[in-house]
Amino acid sequence: MAQIYGAEADPITVKQFVAHFVAQNNVKARQGKRKTTICIWGQKGIGKTDLVKQLAGTDVVDRVIDIPIAQIEEMGDFHGLPIHKEEDGRTVTVTAPPHWVPTNPEEKTIILIDDFNR
């Protein structure tokens, strides 16, 4: 028998769990507090990714950004690339965020980091 760490739940309960944390994170963001990250863990092929993607365009979230971390070969795709920028009359190097990073503070977004354990 396999060991279970955390709660074992059906898809409806997991969706409700995610929706609750999204709502709580929106409140925390408005208060300037740190948001909570959640992890959905389970056997491969049971629909974890699809379950979260189904929340896009609902009253829970506007958009789900799927980052298939196991397929990223260059870390710049994940954390951005250095660029030169003029600042206080001199050129400095800063990291430009990747194109997928949300920029609209009004948009409710889930960043789904898929297969992070690979």
Side-chain angles (χ1 to χ4, degrees):
M1 185 168 144
Q3 290 184 324
I4 298 172
Y5 300 97
E8 184 175 9
D10 60 276
I12 293 170
T13 304
V14 174
K15 272 188 178 179
Q16 291 170 344
F17 174 79
V18 173
H20 169 76
F21 271 92
V22 169
Q24 291 301 308
N25 280 341
N26 288 332
V27 170
K28 288 179 179 181
R30 285 192 295 275
Q31 295 172 344
K33 294 181 181 177
R34 183 176 286 188
K35 299 177 188 178
T36 302
T37 302
I38 63 171
C39 176
I40 302 171
W41 194 280
Q43 295 178 351
K44 63 180 180 179
I46 62 172
K48 301 176 297 292
T49 300
D50 285 340
L51 185 139
V52 175
K53 286 181 175 181
Q54 289 172 14
L55 295 171
T58 68
D59 59 335
V60 177
V61 296
D62 300 315
R63 179 167 70 131
V64 174
I65 300 171
D66 184 13
I67 307 297
I69 197 91
Q71 296 175 16
I72 292 179
E73 294 183 20
E74 298 291 331
M75 284 310 296
D77 295 339
F78 186 69
H79 61 68
L81 294 172
I83 61 169
H84 296 279
K85 178 180 172 182
E86 290 295 322
E87 192 172 283
D88 296 328
R90 61 190 186 108
T91 302
V92 296
T93 303
V94 296
T95 302
H99 72 282
W100 54 263
V101 172
T103 56
N104 181 352
E106 302 299 318
E107 183 179 62
K108 298 179 288 186
T109 305
I110 291 177
I111 299 176
L112 173 63
I113 301 177
D114 204 11
D115 293 329
F116 71 91
N117 59 329
R118 293 190 186 182

